[in-house]
Amino acid sequence: MPVSTNSNAAGTTENVSAGRAVGYTAGNGGAVTQLTSKATGVTLNTICGTITTDDASLAAAAEVTFTVTNSKVVAVTDVVNVSLQATTTGTPLVWVSDVSVGSFDITIANLHASTADTSADPINFVIVPSVAA
C-alpha cells in the first residue's frame, strides 16, 4: 500500500501506510530528560515525543506527579496519551492526571509491593486536538 500524507490544521503531517494507521512524521516530535527528580517539571513544545524521567528512586507503592509545559496543548479538551517504552525496576504505571491550556500533568505510580523504581523511564506522549462539541 502506498504511503499518503496530509497536512492538518495543527500544522503537523499525518502518515497513512500499511501497518501504521495515523501518526506524525519526523520533525514533529521531540525529547527531553527530567533533571533532579521524578517530580521535576519539563518543557517540550512538540505535538509528540519522549520524556525520560530522572532515575531518582520512587518507593514501592508510591506515586509522583510532574508538569509538562507544552504550547501545543491549546484547549482543555485536547487529549494527551502517554505510554511507557520500557522499564527495568519496580512496576511503574503512567497516566495523564490533568490537562490545562499550555501544559499537562503526568502521574507515575510504582505498583510494586517491595521494589523501588530506580529507572530512568522513557514515556512516549502524543497530543490529540479535540473539541467538546
Side-chain angles (χ1 to χ4, degrees), residues 9-32:
T12 57
T13 304
E14 300 170 342
N15 251 346
V16 181
S17 64
R20 295 189 62 94
V22 174
Y24 297 97
T25 58
N28 287 301
V32 67

Side-chain angles (χ1 to χ4, degrees), residues 29-98:
V32 67
T33 301
Q34 271 184 328
L35 303 175
T36 315
S37 77
K38 285 181 170 46
T40 302
V42 298
T43 299
L44 186 57
N45 293 309
T46 58
I47 195 97
C48 58
T50 301
I51 301 159
T52 302
T53 65
D54 187 76
D55 61 359
S57 181
L58 179 61
E63 67 180 44
V64 65
T65 299
F66 67 95
T67 299
V68 179
T69 301
N70 187 307
S71 63
K72 300 296 183 182
V73 181
V74 298
V76 296
T77 54
D78 288 354
V79 178
V80 182
N81 293 305
V82 293
S83 65
L84 280 169
Q85 283 185 22
T87 185
T88 56
T89 61
T91 309
L93 175 68
V94 298
W95 68 92
V96 174
S97 51
D98 185 51

